[in-house]
Amino acid sequence: MAKTVKLDPINQEASVQTQANLLSGLLASELNVLRECGGRGMCATCHVYVKSGMDSLSPPNRREQRTLEVITTTKLNSRLACQALVMGEGVVIELPSGMYINSITDIESLIGRRAEQNILHPLDGKVLVESGKLITRSMISQLQDTQVQIGSYLAQSKEA
């Protein structure tokens, strides 16, 4: 049976099957949510704030807790949408303000422009470029370093 999840502040609702993760509802709502780690709870790109209904979600597992510890924008009501399973009604979530960049081609197309919103690091949620600031080539080297970090982290987790 499907549960309704409300997305604030856009006042949109998403239908999520019972025991399915929040990420599936966000993607079905055609929101631009990344899943850099493939939904394994190892990156920050599906980080959300649960405004209400935390008790209607599955409890955080150890991997999610470890990932949330490194996200700089984490609050007490933070969850990873890929790990939070919807168990009941009344869930209201808010996406952190900003945009995650997950490839060099994304940045290449933005160089020389002003960021329309904060651009966030895919592993820790740090702001790479503040809203209104100029996007420069130095972001490419930061992102290349990030892709190496993600690749080695995912390789280590497969071995474990």
Side-chain angles (χ1 to χ4, degrees):
M1 180 177 202
K3 307 293 184 209
T4 302
V5 174
K6 185 176 178 190
L7 311 173
D8 265 359
I10 61 175
N11 203 27
Q12 188 175 342
E13 291 184 348
S15 179
V16 179
Q17 290 297 317
T18 302
Q19 296 193 10
N21 62 35
L22 282 172
L23 183 60
S24 64
L26 297 175
L27 295 173
S29 298
E30 299 180 8
L31 293 176
N32 189 18
V33 179
L34 298 176
R35 47 195 182 283
E36 187 69 22
C37 70
R40 293 186 280 183
M42 295 187 237
C43 72
T45 57
C46 70
H47 173 225
V48 297
Y49 300 116
V50 180
K51 294 181 77 176
S52 64
M54 187 71 86
D55 56 340
S56 293
L57 298 173
S58 62
N61 60 35
R62 199 168 23 177
R63 178 177 287 169
E64 180 181 4
Q65 290 171 340
R66 283 193 308 252
T67 301
L68 288 171
E69 288 172 1
V70 299
I71 300 173
T72 59
T73 55
T74 298
K75 298 179 183 175
L76 291 175
N77 63 336
S78 289
R79 290 297 305 267
L80 298 179
C82 68
Q83 300 297 301
L85 304 181
V86 178
M87 309 304 281
E89 294 287 352
V91 177
V92 178
I93 62 169
E94 179 181 359
L95 300 174
S97 63
M99 173 179 121
Y100 287 103
I101 295 291
N102 72 330
S103 75
I104 293 168
T105 55
D106 288 347
I107 294 175
E108 285 284 352
S109 67
L110 298 173
I111 290 174
R113 296 185 191 174
R114 297 217 176 262
E116 293 179 18
Q117 55 185 322
N118 288 343
I119 297 178
L120 309 173
H121 189 285
L123 284 180
D124 58 20
K126 287 181 184 174
V127 176
L128 292 174
V129 178
E130 291 179 26
S131 178
K133 300 285 183 177
L134 192 64
I135 300 168
T136 65
R137 285 211 174 271
S138 66
M139 286 185 62
I140 291 176
S141 63
Q142 290 180 33
L143 190 59
Q144 285 172 325
D145 292 345
T146 298
Q147 287 177 326
V148 169
Q149 291 171 1
I150 290 172
S152 63
Y153 185 77
L154 292 177
Q156 288 174 356
S157 68
K158 285 181 183 177
E159 293 170 4

